[in-house]
Amino acid sequence: MEEALQRDVIATNSGNLIFSDAAHKILQTPGTEVVSNGMRTAAAEAERINEEYDAFVVPLANAFRPSFQTGLKRLTRLIGKLRIPVVVMGVGAQTGLSYDAARLKPIEPAVRAFCSAVLDRSASIGVRGEFTEKYLRDLGFRDVEVIGCPSLFLHGERLTVRKRAPELTADSRVAVNGSHTAVRSQGLDRVLRSAHARYPHLRFIGQNLSDARQLHWRDLSDPNGRVAAMPTHPDHPMYREDKVRVYIDPVTWIDDLRDFDFSFGSRIHGNIAALLAGTPATVLCGDSRTLELCRYFGIPHRRIDRLPEDLDPADLYAQADFTGLTGGHRERFERFTAFLDRNGLENTFTHGDGGAAFDERMRSLAFPPGIRPWNDADIASLADRFGWLQRQVLELSLENTRLKRDLARAGSRTVTVSVPASSVYRRARRAVGRPLRRALQSGRQ
């Protein structure tokens, strides 16, 4: 667990795992090997990718936003050096609930450069919903297709969501999620306090790396640590009552949500995880990225800026209608696979085993449980954490000693680091021929 948090395996937000896992499963067929490229987008990797892979697939979330401009430019530089097909699935633009694109004006050059680079290497760009489609068309791009997010196609054309109880009661198990922005400035803190008082079995599910570190280490060094109204904060009553979790793998996340009666909150993938588990969910939309996705898929939703002061999750549950979500799912899935076909990508549901091998592989692995609040003072909990810290200190000490030794040996001489001219994989492939491989580049949410 400590290693996972240290390495940031969730790329700052565990919602990234939901759509990246889905993309991996969907693209895996008997003739295709899917290789995750992680979060690396260095242009220096281009030649290796060109030589070793047949396509570069980029599942993205809200990449068209000012705070991601640097990452978008870095990704564009890499794509610009690729000679293989590049397929973008599910990218979205982020602005307010009014769909006003004015705040995106400063990043227009970066977005234009990215889309131009992608469309030079693909048939079309797959976007999340109506707003992003219009935004790109207004910039002059025509090869734009609304396909939603691959996460909801984890089970292919199947999506079953049913209410297991006629209404929510004090005995119901309710999951709630939300961002720091929603808690700090959009009124979600009031909703959380009310729900906590009404539902004894309420559980908050965080998604940020800072949330996970607060639970496991009580680490408040991140700016998010100043939001004491967040249930992941050690001073919050839900923290003290062990009613908070953060997951670092979608398998346990989705499995745990199967036992809940309802999920709600401002996190789109937190609620998609519930829907994939068959659990009813309602999204409290706080921006365009969540709103357009809910509208496209027919996910029950409410605008967070129009919630009543005394909102009761029972009302959200009673009003939630999943007819559009489940009834239109097959048509949306066919639109998604048609997009893949046009871009030369096979999918496991049409060209493979429907994901059976992937699912079997997932079932054979042992995934860590959700991270819980650190409320224990027992020897075991202390030993695990301090044991890991001690190993880290030892490894760093050894590395420091090695570096000092190398520096002393080098003296004033110039040190040259030799790099093999060709990787083992490249030499092997030249010997046995060219297998069909797909490079899967994860995008941050």
Side-chain angles (χ1 to χ4, degrees):
M1 185 67 72
E2 291 84 3
E3 188 69 23
L5 298 184
Q6 177 71 14
R7 291 170 48 208
D8 185 15
V9 298
I10 64 174
T12 76
N13 187 327
S14 56
N16 294 315
L17 304 177
I18 301 292
F19 64 82
S20 60
D21 256 35
H24 195 116
K25 174 182 176 179
I26 291 166
L27 295 176
Q28 186 172 296
T29 67
T32 304
E33 179 186 358
V34 181
V35 180
S36 176
N37 199 45
M39 298 298 153
R40 298 189 305 276
T41 53
E45 292 281 294
E47 194 53 43
R48 180 185 66 81
I49 293 172
N50 283 325
E51 187 175 346
E52 296 182 4
Y53 301 96
D54 300 284
F56 190 67
V57 182
V58 192
L60 289 170
N62 53 326
F64 299 154
R65 67 185 193 275
S67 62
F68 192 68
Q69 182 173 198
T70 299
L72 190 65
K73 288 180 177 179
R74 188 165 56 245
L75 184 55
T76 302
R77 286 194 293 272
L78 170 59
I79 292 172
K81 293 187 175 184
L82 296 181
R83 299 187 300 274
I84 58 177
V86 175
V87 184
V88 171
M89 55 169 75
V91 67
Q94 182 178 342
T95 187
L97 290 166
S98 64
Y99 283 6
D100 182 1
R103 72 182 293 266
L104 302 179
K105 194 72 176 175
I107 66 169
E108 263 189 27
V111 174
R112 287 180 185 276
F114 173 80
C115 292
S116 296
V118 171
L119 288 172
D120 283 345
R121 296 160 177 81
S122 64
S124 59
I125 289 181
V127 300
R128 278 186 157 202
E130 57 191 359
F131 170 68
T132 305
E133 178 188 34
K134 184 178 186 303
Y135 171 65
L136 292 186
R137 290 189 181 280
D138 287 346
L139 292 181
F141 296 102
R142 293 291 172 265
D143 297 317
V144 181
E145 297 184 58
V146 177
I147 60 170
C149 176
S151 57
L152 270 166
F153 301 123
L154 179 68
H155 305 313
E157 65 179 23
R158 296 183 295 104
L159 183 63
T160 304
V161 181
R162 294 192 184 94
K163 295 181 182 179
R164 293 188 288 269
E167 61 182 10
L168 295 186
T169 68
D171 293 326
S172 299
R173 298 196 69 201
V174 179
V176 59
N177 52 72
S179 67
H180 291 81
T181 299
V183 170
R184 183 178 58 246
S185 59
Q186 294 181 316
L188 188 60
D189 57 331
R190 183 184 67 250
V191 175
L192 286 170
R193 285 194 301 271
S194 175
H196 181 223
R198 284 184 168 117
Y199 298 94
H201 305 294
L202 183 72
R203 178 179 293 176
F204 182 86
I205 299 177
Q207 290 184 204
N208 282 11
L209 177 64
S210 61
D211 295 332
R213 288 176 173 167
Q214 284 180 29
L215 294 191
H216 193 71
W217 291 112
R218 288 179 168 253
D219 178 5
L220 300 178
S221 60
D222 189 275
N224 286 337
R226 294 194 290 268
V227 186
M230 195 77 169
T232 53
H233 194 284
D235 291 342
H236 197 281
M238 291 185 68
Y239 190 109
R240 296 193 296 271
E241 296 166 8
D242 193 35
K243 294 180 178 179
V244 189
R245 298 289 186 275
V246 173
Y247 296 91
I248 60 173
D249 190 274
V251 173
T252 49
W253 189 357
I254 294 170
D255 281 349
D256 280 5
L257 284 170
R258 296 185 203 282
D259 296 329
F260 282 79
D261 298 296
F262 185 54
S263 171
F264 76 102
S266 67
R267 291 289 196 183
I268 184 64
H269 285 102
N271 291 302
I272 285 178
L275 296 172
L276 291 172
T279 299
T282 295
V283 180
L284 306 181
C285 297
D287 53 32
S288 63
R289 59 181 177 145
T290 52
L291 184 58
E292 69 171 352
L293 206 53
C294 286
R295 285 179 171 172
Y296 177 69
F297 279 109
I299 300 171
H301 62 280
R302 299 276 288 274
R303 286 180 53 143
I304 201 168
D305 60 344
R306 296 177 181 174
L307 299 178
E309 289 289 328
D310 58 344
L311 177 69
D312 185 340
D315 296 331
L316 298 177
Y317 182 82
Q319 295 163 13
D321 182 357
F322 300 95
T323 305
L325 172 68
T326 57
H329 186 73
R330 181 172 184 174
E331 180 184 346
R332 286 185 289 268
F333 174 70
E334 290 174 350
R335 189 179 302 131
F336 174 70
T337 55
F339 163 80
L340 297 180
D341 288 343
R342 278 189 289 275
N343 283 280
L345 296 176
E346 294 184 345
N347 74 84
T348 188
F349 300 102
T350 305
H351 309 96
D353 62 0
F358 181 91
D359 291 340
E360 181 62 30
R361 172 63 175 157
M362 292 299 102
R363 283 192 293 271
S364 71
L365 300 175
F367 293 102
I371 302 173
R372 305 173 73 149
W374 187 12
N375 291 318
D376 300 326
D378 62 278
I379 295 298
S381 69
L382 293 172
D384 288 344
R385 288 168 171 84
F386 285 108
W388 182 83
L389 288 174
Q390 184 180 30
R391 290 191 296 274
Q392 289 294 105
V393 170
L394 177 60
E395 289 175 10
L396 289 172
S397 297
L398 292 173
E399 177 67 9
N400 192 42
T401 300
R402 185 189 67 79
L403 290 172
K404 285 180 178 179
R405 184 175 60 248
D406 291 348
L407 185 61
R409 288 174 178 172
S412 59
R413 293 181 290 109
T414 301
V415 179
T416 302
V417 179
S418 62
V419 178
S422 180
S423 69
V424 173
Y425 173 82
R426 293 177 190 173
R427 294 197 299 271
R429 198 183 68 179
R430 279 194 285 270
V432 303
R434 179 182 178 86
L436 181 63
R437 311 183 87 206
R438 307 290 189 204
L440 179 61
Q441 164 66 39
S442 297
R444 295 188 179 205
Q445 174 176 283

